[in-house]
Amino acid sequence: MGWLLTEVAPAQLWSSLTGALWLDGYNLVLFLTLLGATVGDLAWLPVVNYAGIALHVAVVALWPITGDAKRVCVVNTIIARSMWLGVVVWPLIAWWLGLGTGAVLAGVFVAIFLTAMFGNVGVAAFMTYTAAVVPREERGRFFMWRNLFAFGAVNLALQVVAWAWPVPGEGSSTAGINAELWWLMGLFAVAVVVVQLGTLMLAWGPAMPPRHDDHLPRPPLRDALRAVPEFRRFMVIGALNTAAFACLLPYVPRLLNHLGMDGKHFALLQGNVQLPLMLLGIVIAGIALRRIGGASLLRWMLVVSFIGDAVVLLLTSANLGWLALVCLGLMGLGRGLASIAWIGRVQELAPNHDTRFPMIHIAANGAAGVVAGLGLMLVMPWLDARHVADPLLIDPAWAAVCAGVFIRLVSVALALWPVRR
């Protein structure tokens, strides 16, 4: 079990430093901006990422699962992490070929799409795998220690990143690219190497135990879902939460950048404020999962996350210095709770060894993210054009964050709605 407690550290380093899989990163939005992405172009980010999440079931349809959940997890995780190299390699090829900004961004978005598609097959299989090898009463403690180890390593990495961050405008000007972009490309490449080494640790984890009912066929998915009615509500909450993230994750960093926060300062705030409170949230969730259950933990997580996201709407250039500490701290606490709440609830509701439940949950989340992203693609260019014509009008990034906060509020209301007995 020791390998399962430690293999997550390289994965979280990769995701936190590059934004891979969850779009969770100032660095990815800054990277796309330095490649030439406009506010309107950033709407493609949630679309391609969540389309990959929604379509991960197509991978299973084309290549049906023939081995156990662990094998499926390891194989697809290796493929997904390899695909992320395209984010770095494709721009180099496109510049060498003399292609324009549109072609550069298109190739990067394709790499993000493929990473999400194969990566979430691995995520769904991982949920089934850990549900089988970790006793139910130990899951809270297991994920607590696992995430503490991971985010502790991320905290140290962020301190190094903040220290090593180049001053904008320094360094090479080859092909018109500034030092920050070259530095981010190097950071992304190193993160991929590290995370692929971490995949070996996942492969060295305990074997998948055999099914006791292996000779019995699985019921059709529709019948299986009817047998667990609370799972349907959980899917809707997850879909709303993902739609909110589609609005928040690409545009919170952009809004902070507009207000005057640079990458170095953001990395320091992540390491000194967001990550410590995330670790606190992990400890709280790890203890609470067994005592109050996944449903109650999920409600508290959504409330904390909503408050943290709502505070972002109050940020201005004048209060950025202190209010950013509050919103990033609450976001960190919410994400710490979320790191255990979602998987804990999935494993409470899904039948043993049935990978279809986490897969349909992830696919529903991805579909919701695509819908939200397409909405942003329709609205954001119009808002951006109006803002350019009249800078006194609403900031498009602020409007996108506001939409995400509203959707998050709806998910909180649904989670708090009394359950029929």
Side-chain angles (χ1 to χ4, degrees), residues 63-88:
W63 297 284
I65 295 175
T66 56
D68 59 36
K70 178 187 174 181
R71 178 180 175 277
V72 173
C73 176
V74 172
V75 170
N76 284 278
T77 297
I78 291 173
I79 294 173
R81 293 170 179 178
S82 300
M83 293 294 179
W84 188 259
L85 270 178
V87 169
V88 176

Side-chain angles (χ1 to χ4, degrees), residues 23-35:
L23 308 185
D24 186 10
Y26 181 98
N27 293 351
L28 178 57
V29 175
L30 177 60
F31 177 72
L32 293 172
T33 301
L34 293 173
L35 286 176

